[in-house]
Amino acid sequence: MIKKRFEALDAFRGLCALSVVVFHMHLIGSITELDFFRGSAIFVEFFFVLSGFVLTHGYGFKENLNFNRFMKARFFRLYPLHLFMFLVFVVLECGKLLAYKYGGMVLNNEPFTNSFAISEMIPNLLLIQSWTPFTNPLTFNYPSWSISIEFYMYALLFASVVIFKSNRVISWLVISITSLILITLKSEILVGEVLRGLSCFFGGAFTYAIYKKLYHLKPSFILGSVIETILIISVVLVVQSQIEHRSIIASVIFCITVLFFAYESGLLSNFLKVKPLQYAGKLSYSIYMTHAAILFCLTSIAMILQKITGFEIAPMIETTRFLNFGGGLINNVVVIGILAIVVYISSLTYEYVEIAGQRLNEEKANVILEKNKV
């Protein structure tokens, strides 16, 4: 087994999470409207590829995997923050209800309707909102749609290891390619979100199998730098493009990018090891999960100020709510300020929710171990 922490890939996780935050912002005349950030939703595919790669590194080739221990570790890694942010959105909806009932103010939509309907609570609590055609994946804390997919990908990875054994790598390739074909054919055998998860997660798993086989063939610094530069340019071009089958092309490019940056052989991968980017990588899950609530609060404040002052701070352009604080320059400053707020809040949820949840699992494991000793 290869013992290694992929620091360059950690940084990628942080950069992609921050790009998704900017994607969900809309400030007039700012960087949020650049083609790259308008296409950054596709980085969710990158998260799936990266998760498949890293989980396969940790568990894909282990013998005698224990399902309970494996899934408990995954549960306590994802669920505490998911539950916390779900409850935050319930509280925010209660605030909207008070504003609607006593102030006559509607913030985008009536409280506990549409994406925040009571009927969507159970699917969110069970993390199944993205798995059926009868549930809306973009409900309450809408970024959690991908966590719904990812959590059950872990169980499928375990199943593939146990069932296919020596043929597990072939199974990962077959699952990924089959899912990509079904996406191309616009098949409704499975919902689109599930196919996106299967194609990218198991694509990442297969990519790790390639890395494991060839990890000793590390490119030279010069060759690695050239390959990394080409890959970054390719990622930028595909993210901001509108080409046909963009998501499929992006998935393949993401797999190749993860493979070569895992070697950490070039200039760019070494740059990704700088402390600020490593810190962003550490906070990436919190950044991804907290930003929707933060943006909702900031947008709601802007809408209230607009109503009080009469200035068009939060205009509705077609079907999108924009923010405008007086021009492109100041709006770009606001974007940086919002990112700083997201990072700060994420540092708190990382420490007091993510890490606390993982410690809870460790404590339970230690108690069980002590009982077994007795």
Side-chain angles (χ1 to χ4, degrees):
M1 181 178 173
I2 304 167
K3 292 184 178 180
K4 178 180 179 180
R5 182 171 186 88
F6 301 100
E7 293 179 294
L9 299 183
D10 284 342
F12 265 126
R13 200 190 299 271
L15 289 170
C16 289
L18 290 170
S19 296
V20 172
V21 176
V22 179
F23 165 76
H24 284 129
M25 292 189 214
H26 290 280
L27 282 90
I28 292 174
S30 74
I31 60 170
T32 67
E33 304 314 298
L34 294 175
D35 289 342
F36 176 81
F37 290 115
R38 288 303 92 226
S40 289
I42 205 166
F43 279 131
V44 175
E45 268 86 343
F46 192 94
F47 290 141
F48 287 143
V49 169
L50 199 49
S51 292
F53 185 93
V54 172
L55 261 291
T56 305
H57 169 64
Y59 299 98
F61 293 92
K62 269 188 176 180
E63 300 301 327
N64 302 316
L65 266 179
N66 181 283
F67 182 76
N68 286 339
R69 282 200 297 270
F70 174 73
M71 288 307 295
K72 277 182 182 177
R74 297 298 91 210
F75 177 86
F76 282 100
R77 173 69 182 91
L78 294 184
Y79 199 82
L81 184 56
H82 164 66
L83 178 61
F84 177 78
M85 292 311 303
F86 171 76
L87 294 175
V88 166
F89 269 90
V90 171
V91 171
L92 290 174
E93 284 301 294
C94 290
K96 282 172 61 178
L97 182 62
L98 292 174
Y100 175 70
K101 203 167 185 180
Y102 298 104
M105 179 173 287
V106 177
L107 299 174
N108 286 333
N109 51 59
E110 292 186 14
F112 293 107
T113 61
N114 300 329
S115 297
F116 304 96
I118 301 293
S119 59
E120 300 292 348
M121 287 186 170
I122 297 299
N124 271 267
L125 288 171
L126 296 177
L127 275 174
I128 60 171
Q129 69 268 34
S130 299
W131 282 86
T132 80
F134 312 108
T135 51
N136 182 353
L138 302 178
T139 49
F140 287 91
N141 189 26
Y142 51 84
S144 68
W145 77 264
S146 66
I147 307 307
S148 164
I149 296 296
E150 187 165 321
F151 180 71
Y152 293 101
M153 288 294 135
Y154 301 152
L156 292 175
L157 177 66
F158 180 92
S160 72
V161 171
V162 173
I163 295 170
F164 296 106
K165 296 180 181 177
S166 60
N167 293 317
R168 67 189 71 176
V169 175
I170 295 173
S171 76
W172 300 336
L173 179 61
V174 170
I175 292 170
S176 181
I177 290 177
T178 302
S179 300
L180 287 173
I181 291 170
L182 291 174
I183 290 171
T184 305
L185 297 175
K186 298 181 180 178
S187 170
E188 296 182 358
I189 293 175
L190 294 170
V191 296
E193 290 79 10
V194 173
L195 291 175
R196 287 171 70 184
L198 287 169
S199 62
C200 295
F201 184 89
F202 285 99
F206 181 74
T207 299
Y208 179 78
I210 296 174
Y211 174 80
K212 184 175 182 289
K213 192 81 172 174
L214 305 176
Y215 79 98
H216 58 285
L217 300 177
K218 184 175 180 178
S220 66
F221 179 77
I222 293 175
L223 179 60
S225 298
V226 170
I227 293 172
E228 288 173 2
T229 302
I230 292 171
L231 286 170
I232 290 298
I233 293 171
S234 299
V235 167
V236 171
L237 290 176
V238 77
V239 167
Q240 65 186 21
S241 73
Q242 298 295 327
I243 55 176
E244 190 178 5
H245 304 309
R246 170 174 168 264
S247 64
I248 294 172
I249 295 169
S251 300
V252 174
I253 291 175
F254 291 159
C255 286
I256 298 171
T257 301
V258 167
L259 174 62
F260 279 97
F261 273 86
Y263 285 105
E264 299 180 346
S265 61
L267 179 64
L268 295 178
S269 56
N270 279 277
F271 171 74
L272 290 171
K273 295 181 182 181
V274 299
K275 285 186 178 179
L277 295 181
Q278 288 298 299
Y279 186 65
K282 184 174 75 169
L283 300 183
S284 58
Y285 181 47
S286 274
I287 290 170
Y288 182 72
M289 290 293 282
T290 62
H291 77 272
I294 295 168
L295 293 180
F296 170 81
C297 291
L298 294 174
T299 303
S300 297
I301 291 169
M303 290 172 67
I304 292 169
L305 288 174
Q306 178 174 268
K307 188 172 183 180
I308 293 171
T309 63
F311 293 112
E312 215 172 15
I313 302 171
M316 198 75 173
I317 300 176
E318 294 181 354
T319 58
T320 303
R321 178 74 64 183
F322 278 77
L323 297 179
N324 184 20
F325 295 94
L329 178 61
I330 192 168
N331 285 344
N332 277 312
V333 172
V334 171
V335 170
I336 295 169
I338 292 172
L339 288 174
I341 292 170
V342 170
V343 170
Y344 175 71
I345 298 296
S346 296
S347 70
L348 299 179
T349 56
Y350 174 79
E351 182 65 34
Y352 297 108
V353 183
E354 281 192 66
I355 297 300
Q358 292 173 54
R359 284 177 185 153
L360 182 62
N361 182 44
E362 290 169 5
E363 289 169 6
K364 285 188 174 185
N366 290 334
V367 169
I368 292 171
L369 188 62
E370 289 300 320
K371 284 183 178 179
N372 289 338
K373 285 181 180 178
V374 174

